[in-house]
Amino acid sequence: MSKLAVLELRGDLNNQGFYVTLRIGQGNVASDINLERKLPPSPPLFDAFIQWQQDYRRLSTPSRVIRPYKNKIDGKIHPIEACAESAKQLEQKFQNWLDCKSFHDLDLQLRQALNRHDAVQVLIRTANAEAQALPWHLWDFFENYPKAEIALSGVSSYPCSSQRRLGLLDLNQVNILAVLGDSTNINLESDKQALNKSPEANVEFLREPTLQELNDKLYEKSWDILFFAGHSKTEAAGKGVLQLNPTTHLTIDEVRYAVRKAIAKGLQLAIFNSCDGLGLARALADLQLPYIIVMREVVPDPVAQQFLKYFLEEFSQGQSLHLAVREARQRLQGMEKECPCASWLPVIYQHPGRTPLSWHDLQHPSPLVQPHSLRRTGKPHRQTVSQTALVSFIVTSLVMGVRFLGGLQPLEFWTFDSLMRLRPAEGSDERMLLVTIDEADLRYQDEQGYEREGSLSNQALTKVWQKLESYDPVVVGVDIFRERPVTTKFQSVAKAIESTQTNDSTNFSKVDSNLKLPVDTIFICQIKTGETFSTISPPPNIEPIELGFSNVVSDPDKLIRRHLIGMSPGSECNTDQSFSYRVASNYLQRQSDVQVTFHSRVLTINGVEFPPLSQHNGVYHSIKIGGYNTLLNYRATEAIAPTISLSELLEGNQDRKLADLVSDRIILIGTIADSFGDYHPTPYGEMAGVEIQAHMISQILSAVEDHRPLLRTLPQWGDVLWVYVWTLGIGGFILLLRTRGQVILAMLTTLSCLSLLCFLALKVGWWLPLIPTAIACAIMTGLSQHSRLI
């Protein structure tokens, strides 16, 4: 918290001197330190000030005064040199005056009560115009306290009538009314550009308005900052005058009702980027405006432009008003070769009971959030934290409600597919061999005179079997529909089928714990399911245990992401187990004893649970889930398994190579010919049906034998909790931030960490709700900004 040092001066400079009272407090609270000393009268200081003022006003730089001061120049010395010399004399006499013994004791007490790195407001309270005009920033105290700045104040102690408004209009925006008055001989475009660059500012410009236009605008809307650029001056009687347009001069008294109304509605700061503004400041202070920034003397146009630019840069990025003015004022020193004493000009005039103002104080809180205690202490207030928790709950509920209705499915599917494709390559599954049938293989069969049934003739199937049987494959899966019987002409195939038949039929929903499947060949059929699939019968004389249905399930975007393991059998396709499950279970049975259970509606093979999908699992809310579905964890590889074409298999003579490819493997036979259209979209692009079946088989085998993770989702309450924790976390973190840049960086960092975490989770088998969490965090960030949670 900043320190407040108040120096109250009573008297005058030329005759009585000043009685000085020092009070030091924290914020706007006075402490027990209360000293009274005296500064003696100093006619030499008064004369030096008058001389400097005259020399300064002789400068011919284009300025923002209403009419130029006309002083004769004798031509013996350059005006800039004369001003610099008189400024040097004034500074020396001012320091001598403050070094008097009576004030030195007060100065010492002030320094002892403060830490060098404290933020300190030094407030000069006096009704004496001469004392207000003195260059108090030259006091050597400010050289030793880099976070201290001077401000002026009158001696009235009326409570400030300005109130921070609570409303939903322009949340998080600083409303600025910018009055651009008469611009004769000066350039106000630079001021306009500087205001427009202010972050989170809603600037409305009035260019050379009439008195009525200005009056109406002050009434119409709630303003945070009143800005004026143009010509102004303080008359000999101390009254401030500004020029609205080439024909209209205005005093504050002429708009006092409108100004009071603006202050009552929340006006906190007035900036007069114009000449000689102490008279304007005193008039506005009498109306209880909290803060005013003015130029104490005539201000050259380039100085006014640069000050506004420097000040807004510092103030809008989180510096307090006092430190922003100090920083901007000191940067003007670089212009003093051409514009002497430029760094002397800006000064703050404020109500004595106000604590330091920041840009964030001007941003509008919502009615539910009162962030003042947070900004003063840097720690979240208990009430603010509870409000953040409530807002987080509301945001989470809304986002998850939209997800429940299926509104986020397209985005979630797209994100899931993108993360799947980012996984590192796993390599092919060497437990399988794909025997594929392409267009060349179709021509090969036709050239051999084979009678094809679809893509594979009985003759070719006979030769395949003859070729394979001597190399002892574990199981052969024929992923081709074959409704015609195997004819007596091809007894080797018929005999082979008959030799594998068994009466050990197994119902999927009642799996025996000691399943024995001595089946060497598995054929496919298709179960009718509504309008999606029609029935395709299996070959005649095939037992159900030698069958697996080929049905696959796709998501609303037609991509296959699920693995359908089991469902109710059809009247003709009399099996309740999928082709992939039949093939995989046969393979596992040949390798070792297989323990299969189906308890609590969860399939378990050798202790590995295959998590079933159900309605409202993960992203599957508006999708009807039928049968036993689990997520398909595609193997990250270009080729799921080694592949050989049908013609290469039948014509090949390299028995040793063929033995390596076939022995102890699963052989899958399927078509990849474009003319049969057996292609389906997947997260990895289009795949042939036999390749998808291979991925499904590989998923089962890899889970059981290699402990490769299966994909699963959190329960519905887990998804809600996950999103809520992230939303609450970012909402609480933003409580500690001050600038818009910090908030943007925090949001980007959060989204990056969230994405990385979800990617790593997917690698180990968890599909976490990335999109709902990201959306909820983004909404929470926006609400935190607009609701003034920062």
Side-chain angles (χ1 to χ4, degrees):
M1 184 177 287
S2 66
K3 299 290 182 67
L4 175 66
V6 180
L7 289 173
E8 187 170 333
L9 282 67
R10 302 180 304 279
D12 62 49
L13 180 60
N14 210 24
N15 300 309
Q16 306 174 48
F18 292 99
Y19 290 96
V20 183
T21 301
L22 170 65
R23 291 190 299 277
I24 302 174
Q26 188 129 328
N28 61 351
V29 180
S31 72
D32 295 333
I33 299 177
N34 195 327
L35 298 176
E36 292 192 4
R37 296 293 185 269
K38 186 176 182 182
L39 279 167
S42 180
L45 175 59
F46 180 81
D47 293 340
F49 172 76
I50 297 299
Q51 183 62 50
W52 169 79
Q53 193 176 57
Q54 291 174 349
D55 289 340
Y56 179 81
R57 292 179 178 183
R58 288 191 182 102
L59 299 174
S60 57
T61 305
S63 65
R64 300 187 175 194
V65 73
I66 287 180
R67 58 173 65 88
Y69 291 90
K70 297 181 179 180
N71 300 87
K72 293 183 178 180
I73 303 174
D74 57 17
K76 295 180 180 179
I77 184 170
H78 194 280
I80 290 180
E81 295 176 3
C83 182
E85 180 60 30
S86 60
K88 184 177 179 181
Q89 293 296 322
L90 174 59
E91 181 176 2
Q92 181 179 354
K93 287 181 170 53
F94 182 69
Q95 293 290 359
N96 291 339
W97 184 52
L98 296 181
D99 283 342
C100 69
K101 185 177 180 180
S102 59
F103 189 78
H104 181 75
D105 180 43
L106 185 146
D107 188 321
L108 182 61
Q109 290 288 336
L110 176 62
R111 295 172 194 257
Q112 289 177 345
L114 300 174
N115 185 286
R116 172 177 168 76
H117 298 291
D118 283 340
V120 183
Q121 298 177 75
V122 180
L123 187 61
I124 306 297
R125 292 190 63 186
T126 181
N128 184 266
E130 299 161 1
Q132 291 181 348
L134 290 173
W136 287 97
H137 67 282
L138 298 177
W139 182 9
D140 61 9
F141 167 84
F142 294 100
E143 292 293 327
N144 297 319
Y145 289 82
K147 294 185 178 180
E149 178 61 351
I150 197 74
L152 304 177
S153 174
V155 294
S156 63
S157 58
Y158 302 111
C160 183
S161 60
S162 178
Q163 299 291 330
R164 294 300 296 120
R165 65 189 176 281
L166 302 177
L168 295 175
L169 179 64
D170 295 327
L171 296 179
N172 204 39
Q173 294 287 309
V174 177
N175 287 334
I176 303 175
L177 176 60
V179 182
L180 304 180
D182 181 22
S183 59
T184 304
N185 298 324
I186 58 175
N187 177 19
L188 301 185
E189 194 61 32
S190 177
D191 299 60
K192 183 177 179 180
Q193 292 175 4
L195 289 167
N196 280 329
K197 290 180 180 179
S198 301
E200 299 165 334
N202 177 26
V203 187
E204 187 167 337
F205 292 94
L206 277 181
R207 188 177 290 275
E208 296 188 353
T210 64
L211 175 59
Q212 186 61 50
E213 289 171 342
L214 175 60
N215 194 77
D216 289 344
K217 192 60 66 175
L218 289 170
Y219 269 99
E220 287 172 4
K221 190 173 179 180
S222 296
W223 304 103
D224 299 298
I225 299 176
L226 172 63
F227 173 82
F228 175 82
H231 297 294
S232 66
K233 69 174 184 179
T234 297
E235 295 180 334
K239 181 176 292 188
V241 180
L242 52 87
Q243 190 160 339
L244 284 182
N245 54 59
T247 61
T248 305
H249 292 183
L250 176 72
T251 65
I252 298 300
D253 190 57
E254 292 176 87
V255 286
R256 65 182 183 277
Y257 296 128
V259 171
R260 281 176 177 165
K261 185 67 174 179
I263 294 171
K265 293 169 68 175
L267 182 64
Q268 298 287 300
L269 171 65
I271 304 173
F272 288 88
N273 207 24
S274 58
C275 291
D276 198 12
L278 283 175
L280 296 169
R282 285 190 283 266
L284 286 171
D286 288 343
L287 296 176
Q288 311 304 309
L289 181 62
Y291 302 95
I292 309 106
I293 298 175
V294 296
M295 300 292 179
R296 65 171 77 240
E297 275 294 337
V298 175
V299 58
D301 199 36
V303 172
Q305 294 168 1
Q306 288 302 109
F307 169 76
L308 181 65
K309 175 186 173 184
Y310 296 151
F311 168 72
L312 289 176
E313 286 176 358
E314 295 294 325
F315 190 44
S316 65
Q317 291 303 313
Q319 286 278 32
S320 69
L321 176 73
H322 291 73
L323 293 185
V325 169
R326 174 175 173 140
E327 186 74 14
R329 179 176 58 75
Q330 291 180 339
R331 289 182 68 176
L332 295 177
Q333 191 176 39
M335 307 179 68
E336 290 187 346
K337 285 291 186 182
E338 294 78 22
C339 303
C341 304
S343 63
W344 292 29
L345 302 179
V347 64
I348 302 169
Y349 206 105
Q350 74 173 70
H351 189 278
R354 301 297 289 189
T355 53
L357 182 70
S358 74
W359 185 265
H360 302 289
D361 294 324
L362 298 176
Q363 293 170 302
H364 305 171
S366 78
L368 296 177
V369 180
Q370 299 293 333
H372 301 290
S373 60
L374 170 64
R375 293 196 300 272
R376 299 292 180 256
T377 64
K379 300 178 182 179
H381 190 278
R382 181 180 300 175
Q383 183 181 3
T384 305
V385 172
S386 64
Q387 290 163 349
T388 304
L390 176 61
V391 174
S392 300
F393 176 77
I394 294 172
V395 169
T396 300
S397 300
L398 291 174
V399 171
M400 297 307 285
V402 172
R403 189 192 199 214
F404 187 87
L405 296 174
L408 303 183
Q409 277 180 3
L411 271 177
E412 291 202 74
F413 283 143
W414 178 84
T415 306
F416 172 76
D417 297 343
S418 300
L419 293 180
M420 288 283 282
R421 291 190 292 268
L422 289 175
R423 298 179 304 166
E426 298 178 74
S428 300
D429 193 330
E430 298 295 329
R431 288 167 293 211
M432 291 183 289
L433 173 67
L434 301 189
V435 178
T436 59
I437 304 170
D438 59 13
E439 300 291 350
D441 295 313
L442 298 178
R443 290 193 299 272
Y444 169 80
Q445 293 181 75
D446 294 339
E447 290 168 359
Q448 296 296 320
Y450 296 163
E451 298 176 7
R452 283 195 293 115
E453 177 189 352
S455 61
L456 182 63
S457 67
N458 283 341
Q459 298 98 318
L461 180 57
T462 300
K463 288 183 176 292
V464 167
W465 186 261
Q466 291 172 343
K467 198 81 171 180
L468 296 178
E469 61 182 352
S470 61
Y471 300 116
D472 193 25
V474 177
V475 60
V476 176
V478 182
D479 185 29
I480 297 173
F481 293 117
R482 304 190 60 78
E483 296 188 36
R484 289 168 54 187
V486 178
T487 65
T488 56
K489 185 177 180 180
F490 306 105
Q491 288 300 316
S492 58
V493 175
K495 188 175 181 180
I497 294 174
E498 291 170 5
S499 68
T500 62
Q501 290 180 355
T502 177
N503 294 322
D504 185 15
S505 179
T506 303
N507 185 285
F508 182 80
S509 61
K510 299 179 180 179
V511 182
D512 184 75
S513 62
N514 294 298
L515 180 62
K516 302 295 182 183
L517 293 176
V519 181
D520 295 318
T521 304
I522 304 297
F523 291 92
I524 62 169
C525 56
Q526 186 169 275
I527 299 174
K528 179 177 176 60
T529 56
E531 298 179 358
T532 306
F533 293 98
S534 58
T535 298
I536 299 179
S537 301
N541 304 317
I542 298 297
E543 293 293 328
I545 201 168
E546 297 167 326
L547 283 176
F549 60 76
S550 65
N551 302 60
V552 293
V553 287
S554 58
D555 291 329
D557 58 359
K558 307 304 180 183
L559 269 68
I560 295 174
R561 300 182 183 87
R562 288 176 280 159
H563 182 181
L564 181 59
I565 296 177
M567 65 175 175
S568 299
S571 58
E572 296 182 48
C573 184
N574 186 26
T575 178
D576 61 357
Q577 299 181 20
S578 69
F579 173 74
S580 58
Y581 177 79
R582 285 287 195 195
V583 172
S585 61
N586 276 24
Y587 178 88
L588 292 172
Q589 179 65 32
R590 281 283 298 270
Q591 302 305 307
S592 62
D593 290 337
V594 179
Q595 299 295 323
V596 181
T597 60
F598 192 75
H599 296 307
S600 300
R601 303 186 63 80
V602 177
L603 172 65
T604 303
I605 305 176
N606 285 3
V608 176
E609 290 187 356
F610 286 74
L613 275 176
S614 60
Q615 196 79 9
H616 305 304
N617 259 142
V619 72
Y620 293 96
H621 290 283
S622 62
I623 302 172
K624 183 178 180 181
I625 305 294
Y628 196 100
N629 283 260
T630 190
L631 290 170
L632 178 53
N633 191 4
Y634 284 91
R635 197 175 186 90
T637 180
E638 292 186 6
I640 181 59
T643 302
I644 187 171
S645 70
L646 176 67
S647 57
E648 288 173 338
L649 175 65
L650 298 182
E651 295 295 330
N653 295 315
Q654 300 179 14
D655 291 344
R656 184 172 180 180
K657 179 180 178 182
L658 193 57
D660 292 337
L661 288 174
V662 174
S663 179
D664 294 325
R665 295 196 189 208
I666 295 170
I667 311 301
L668 290 182
I669 305 172
T671 180
I672 60 171
D674 291 337
S675 58
F676 282 87
D678 187 22
Y679 279 85
H680 308 272
T682 75
Y684 286 91
E686 281 202 337
M687 287 187 189
V690 68
E691 294 175 314
I692 295 175
Q693 294 291 352
H695 276 279
M696 294 176 176
I697 294 167
S698 178
Q699 164 159 284
I700 297 173
L701 300 183
S702 298
V704 176
E705 293 192 333
D706 306 333
H707 303 289
R708 181 175 180 262
L710 294 158
L711 291 179
R712 62 190 68 225
T713 62
L714 295 172
Q716 188 173 352
W717 64 264
D719 281 344
V720 173
L721 182 61
W722 169 271
V723 175
Y724 177 71
V725 168
W726 276 88
T727 309
L728 180 62
I730 194 170
F733 183 62
I734 289 175
L735 288 173
L736 305 176
L737 304 180
R738 295 184 60 82
T739 68
R740 184 181 184 184
Q742 289 174 339
V743 172
I744 293 174
L745 180 61
M747 184 59 194
L748 292 176
T749 302
T750 298
L751 293 181
S752 299
C753 292
L754 174 64
S755 300
L756 178 60
L757 183 59
C758 289
F759 172 68
L760 295 175
L762 191 62
K763 287 180 65 176
V764 297
W766 286 97
W767 182 3
L768 298 177
L770 170 57
I771 289 299
T773 309
I775 292 174
C777 286
I779 294 173
M780 190 65 187
T781 300
L783 289 178
S784 297
Q785 280 282 86
H786 290 297
S787 299
R788 299 291 288 119
L789 288 174
I790 60 173

